[in-house]
PDB file of all heavy atoms in Angstrom:
ATOM      1  N   TYR A 202      25.060  68.350 -19.470  1.00  0.00           N
ATOM      2  CA  TYR A 202      25.551  67.701 -18.172  1.00  0.00           C
ATOM      3  C   TYR A 202      26.926  68.065 -17.778  1.00  0.00           C
ATOM      4  O   TYR A 202      27.325  68.415 -16.755  1.00  0.00           O
ATOM      5  CB  TYR A 202      25.449  66.216 -18.166  1.00  0.00           C
ATOM      6  CG  TYR A 202      25.898  65.488 -16.978  1.00  0.00           C
ATOM      7  CD1 TYR A 202      25.266  65.506 -15.798  1.00  0.00           C
ATOM      8  CD2 TYR A 202      27.095  64.786 -16.957  1.00  0.00           C
ATOM      9  CE1 TYR A 202      25.778  64.986 -14.580  1.00  0.00           C
ATOM     10  CE2 TYR A 202      27.674  64.196 -15.829  1.00  0.00           C
ATOM     11  CZ  TYR A 202      26.927  64.331 -14.655  1.00  0.00           C
ATOM     12  OH  TYR A 202      27.443  63.766 -13.511  1.00  0.00           O
ATOM     13  N   LEU A 242      19.035  56.538 -23.716  1.00  0.00           N
ATOM     14  CA  LEU A 242      18.646  55.885 -22.407  1.00  0.00           C
ATOM     15  C   LEU A 242      19.769  55.683 -21.518  1.00  0.00           C
ATOM     16  O   LEU A 242      19.678  55.929 -20.272  1.00  0.00           O
ATOM     17  CB  LEU A 242      17.744  54.589 -22.742  1.00  0.00           C
ATOM     18  CG  LEU A 242      16.465  54.806 -23.472  1.00  0.00           C
ATOM     19  CD1 LEU A 242      15.788  53.477 -23.624  1.00  0.00           C
ATOM     20  CD2 LEU A 242      15.496  55.705 -22.725  1.00  0.00           C
ATOM     21  N   LEU A 243      20.871  55.053 -22.003  1.00  0.00           N
ATOM     22  CA  LEU A 243      21.987  54.788 -21.237  1.00  0.00           C
ATOM     23  C   LEU A 243      22.646  56.010 -20.608  1.00  0.00           C
ATOM     24  O   LEU A 243      23.029  56.075 -19.432  1.00  0.00           O
ATOM     25  CB  LEU A 243      23.080  54.042 -22.034  1.00  0.00           C
ATOM     26  CG  LEU A 243      22.680  52.486 -22.341  1.00  0.00           C
ATOM     27  CD1 LEU A 243      23.748  51.868 -23.283  1.00  0.00           C
ATOM     28  CD2 LEU A 243      22.452  51.721 -21.072  1.00  0.00           C
ATOM     29  N   VAL A 244      22.651  57.127 -21.435  1.00  0.00           N
ATOM     30  CA  VAL A 244      23.133  58.333 -20.885  1.00  0.00           C
ATOM     31  C   VAL A 244      22.235  58.878 -19.756  1.00  0.00           C
ATOM     32  O   VAL A 244      22.795  59.324 -18.785  1.00  0.00           O
ATOM     33  CB  VAL A 244      23.254  59.413 -22.052  1.00  0.00           C
ATOM     34  CG1 VAL A 244      23.489  60.716 -21.432  1.00  0.00           C
ATOM     35  CG2 VAL A 244      24.225  58.963 -23.068  1.00  0.00           C
ATOM     36  N   HIS A 245      20.938  58.806 -19.944  1.00  0.00           N
ATOM     37  CA  HIS A 245      20.145  59.236 -18.888  1.00  0.00           C
ATOM     38  C   HIS A 245      20.349  58.378 -17.583  1.00  0.00           C
ATOM     39  O   HIS A 245      20.408  58.970 -16.487  1.00  0.00           O
ATOM     40  CB  HIS A 245      18.697  59.065 -19.254  1.00  0.00           C
ATOM     41  CG  HIS A 245      17.990  60.309 -19.860  1.00  0.00           C
ATOM     42  ND1 HIS A 245      17.780  61.436 -19.080  1.00  0.00           N
ATOM     43  CD2 HIS A 245      17.513  60.569 -21.040  1.00  0.00           C
ATOM     44  CE1 HIS A 245      17.195  62.319 -19.844  1.00  0.00           C
ATOM     45  NE2 HIS A 245      17.083  61.852 -20.974  1.00  0.00           N
ATOM     46  N   LEU A 246      20.531  57.113 -17.824  1.00  0.00           N
ATOM     47  CA  LEU A 246      20.809  56.219 -16.687  1.00  0.00           C
ATOM     48  C   LEU A 246      22.034  56.504 -16.001  1.00  0.00           C
ATOM     49  O   LEU A 246      22.151  56.646 -14.773  1.00  0.00           O
ATOM     50  CB  LEU A 246      20.763  54.773 -17.064  1.00  0.00           C
ATOM     51  CG  LEU A 246      21.091  53.728 -15.976  1.00  0.00           C
ATOM     52  CD1 LEU A 246      20.038  53.723 -14.891  1.00  0.00           C
ATOM     53  CD2 LEU A 246      21.182  52.315 -16.676  1.00  0.00           C
ATOM     54  N   ARG A 247      23.158  56.779 -16.734  1.00  0.00           N
ATOM     55  CA  ARG A 247      24.397  57.170 -16.265  1.00  0.00           C
ATOM     56  C   ARG A 247      24.389  58.406 -15.408  1.00  0.00           C
ATOM     57  O   ARG A 247      24.890  58.451 -14.271  1.00  0.00           O
ATOM     58  CB  ARG A 247      25.474  57.224 -17.290  1.00  0.00           C
ATOM     59  CG  ARG A 247      26.894  57.290 -16.738  1.00  0.00           C
ATOM     60  CD  ARG A 247      27.893  57.639 -17.845  1.00  0.00           C
ATOM     61  NE  ARG A 247      28.026  59.117 -18.082  1.00  0.00           N
ATOM     62  CZ  ARG A 247      27.690  59.626 -19.232  1.00  0.00           C
ATOM     63  NH1 ARG A 247      27.075  58.955 -20.284  1.00  0.00           N
ATOM     64  NH2 ARG A 247      27.673  60.953 -19.430  1.00  0.00           N
ATOM     65  N   ILE A 248      23.721  59.433 -15.948  1.00  0.00           N
ATOM     66  CA  ILE A 248      23.568  60.713 -15.391  1.00  0.00           C
ATOM     67  C   ILE A 248      22.853  60.661 -14.024  1.00  0.00           C
ATOM     68  O   ILE A 248      23.232  61.254 -12.963  1.00  0.00           O
ATOM     69  CB  ILE A 248      23.000  61.780 -16.326  1.00  0.00           C
ATOM     70  CG1 ILE A 248      23.902  62.077 -17.390  1.00  0.00           C
ATOM     71  CG2 ILE A 248      22.529  63.053 -15.524  1.00  0.00           C
ATOM     72  CD1 ILE A 248      23.371  62.923 -18.530  1.00  0.00           C
ATOM     73  N   PHE A 249      21.711  59.824 -14.056  1.00  0.00           N
ATOM     74  CA  PHE A 249      20.945  59.682 -12.853  1.00  0.00           C
ATOM     75  C   PHE A 249      21.712  58.992 -11.802  1.00  0.00           C
ATOM     76  O   PHE A 249      21.790  59.490 -10.637  1.00  0.00           O
ATOM     77  CB  PHE A 249      19.754  58.797 -13.247  1.00  0.00           C
ATOM     78  CG  PHE A 249      18.930  58.344 -11.982  1.00  0.00           C
ATOM     79  CD1 PHE A 249      18.111  59.249 -11.413  1.00  0.00           C
ATOM     80  CD2 PHE A 249      19.144  57.163 -11.428  1.00  0.00           C
ATOM     81  CE1 PHE A 249      17.301  58.869 -10.259  1.00  0.00           C
ATOM     82  CE2 PHE A 249      18.400  56.701 -10.392  1.00  0.00           C
ATOM     83  CZ  PHE A 249      17.517  57.564  -9.729  1.00  0.00           C
ATOM     84  N   VAL A 250      22.480  57.962 -12.075  1.00  0.00           N
ATOM     85  CA  VAL A 250      23.331  57.219 -11.031  1.00  0.00           C
ATOM     86  C   VAL A 250      24.433  58.152 -10.502  1.00  0.00           C
ATOM     87  O   VAL A 250      24.645  58.201  -9.353  1.00  0.00           O
ATOM     88  CB  VAL A 250      23.966  55.885 -11.697  1.00  0.00           C
ATOM     89  CG1 VAL A 250      25.001  55.324 -10.787  1.00  0.00           C
ATOM     90  CG2 VAL A 250      22.815  54.970 -12.052  1.00  0.00           C
ATOM     91  N   MET A 251      25.090  58.906 -11.423  1.00  0.00           N
ATOM     92  CA  MET A 251      26.144  59.774 -10.964  1.00  0.00           C
ATOM     93  C   MET A 251      25.603  60.914 -10.210  1.00  0.00           C
ATOM     94  O   MET A 251      26.284  61.266  -9.094  1.00  0.00           O
ATOM     95  CB  MET A 251      26.943  60.322 -12.171  1.00  0.00           C
ATOM     96  CG  MET A 251      27.660  59.254 -12.952  1.00  0.00           C
ATOM     97  SD  MET A 251      28.652  59.967 -14.382  1.00  0.00           S
ATOM     98  CE  MET A 251      29.819  61.001 -13.671  1.00  0.00           C
ATOM     99  N   THR A 252      24.434  61.410 -10.465  1.00  0.00           N
ATOM    100  CA  THR A 252      23.816  62.490  -9.769  1.00  0.00           C
ATOM    101  C   THR A 252      23.428  62.021  -8.363  1.00  0.00           C
ATOM    102  O   THR A 252      23.635  62.687  -7.297  1.00  0.00           O
ATOM    103  CB  THR A 252      22.628  63.140 -10.404  1.00  0.00           C
ATOM    104  OG1 THR A 252      22.996  63.556 -11.743  1.00  0.00           O
ATOM    105  CG2 THR A 252      21.962  64.239  -9.605  1.00  0.00           C
ATOM    106  N   ALA A 253      22.809  60.784  -8.332  1.00  0.00           N
ATOM    107  CA  ALA A 253      22.350  60.190  -7.024  1.00  0.00           C
ATOM    108  C   ALA A 253      23.549  59.924  -6.236  1.00  0.00           C
ATOM    109  O   ALA A 253      23.596  60.124  -4.977  1.00  0.00           O
ATOM    110  CB  ALA A 253      21.527  58.938  -7.310  1.00  0.00           C
ATOM    111  N   ALA A 254      24.675  59.334  -6.719  1.00  0.00           N
ATOM    112  CA  ALA A 254      25.915  59.086  -6.028  1.00  0.00           C
ATOM    113  C   ALA A 254      26.464  60.363  -5.381  1.00  0.00           C
ATOM    114  O   ALA A 254      27.019  60.396  -4.211  1.00  0.00           O
ATOM    115  CB  ALA A 254      26.940  58.318  -6.872  1.00  0.00           C
ATOM    116  N   GLY A 255      26.449  61.442  -6.323  1.00  0.00           N
ATOM    117  CA  GLY A 255      27.033  62.697  -5.704  1.00  0.00           C
ATOM    118  C   GLY A 255      26.265  63.233  -4.491  1.00  0.00           C
ATOM    119  O   GLY A 255      26.796  63.797  -3.497  1.00  0.00           O
ATOM    120  N   ARG A 256      24.906  63.143  -4.566  1.00  0.00           N
ATOM    121  CA  ARG A 256      24.081  63.605  -3.454  1.00  0.00           C
ATOM    122  C   ARG A 256      24.279  62.755  -2.269  1.00  0.00           C
ATOM    123  O   ARG A 256      24.235  63.239  -1.240  1.00  0.00           O
ATOM    124  CB  ARG A 256      22.587  63.602  -3.924  1.00  0.00           C
ATOM    125  CG  ARG A 256      22.277  64.506  -4.987  1.00  0.00           C
ATOM    126  CD  ARG A 256      20.796  64.446  -5.337  1.00  0.00           C
ATOM    127  NE  ARG A 256      20.464  65.552  -6.398  1.00  0.00           N
ATOM    128  CZ  ARG A 256      19.421  65.455  -7.117  1.00  0.00           C
ATOM    129  NH1 ARG A 256      18.418  64.468  -6.890  1.00  0.00           N
ATOM    130  NH2 ARG A 256      19.070  66.437  -8.050  1.00  0.00           N
ATOM    131  N   PHE A 257      24.423  61.426  -2.519  1.00  0.00           N
ATOM    132  CA  PHE A 257      24.710  60.516  -1.435  1.00  0.00           C
ATOM    133  C   PHE A 257      26.044  60.774  -0.731  1.00  0.00           C
ATOM    134  O   PHE A 257      26.106  60.830   0.504  1.00  0.00           O
ATOM    135  CB  PHE A 257      24.582  59.020  -1.825  1.00  0.00           C
ATOM    136  CG  PHE A 257      24.823  58.097  -0.744  1.00  0.00           C
ATOM    137  CD1 PHE A 257      23.799  57.686   0.082  1.00  0.00           C
ATOM    138  CD2 PHE A 257      26.097  57.400  -0.616  1.00  0.00           C
ATOM    139  CE1 PHE A 257      23.967  56.829   1.097  1.00  0.00           C
ATOM    140  CE2 PHE A 257      26.281  56.478   0.361  1.00  0.00           C
ATOM    141  CZ  PHE A 257      25.269  56.202   1.243  1.00  0.00           C
ATOM    142  N   ALA A 258      27.042  61.008  -1.452  1.00  0.00           N
ATOM    143  CA  ALA A 258      28.369  61.297  -0.932  1.00  0.00           C
ATOM    144  C   ALA A 258      28.428  62.703  -0.169  1.00  0.00           C
ATOM    145  O   ALA A 258      29.114  62.784   0.812  1.00  0.00           O
ATOM    146  CB  ALA A 258      29.308  61.313  -2.096  1.00  0.00           C
TER     147      ALA A 258
END
Side-chain angles (χ1 to χ4, degrees):
Y202 179 72
L242 293 178
L243 289 175
V244 174
H245 264 295
L246 178 61
R247 191 190 84 247
I248 291 175
F249 173 80
V250 171
M251 293 179 68
T252 302
R256 290 175 179 173
F257 180 78

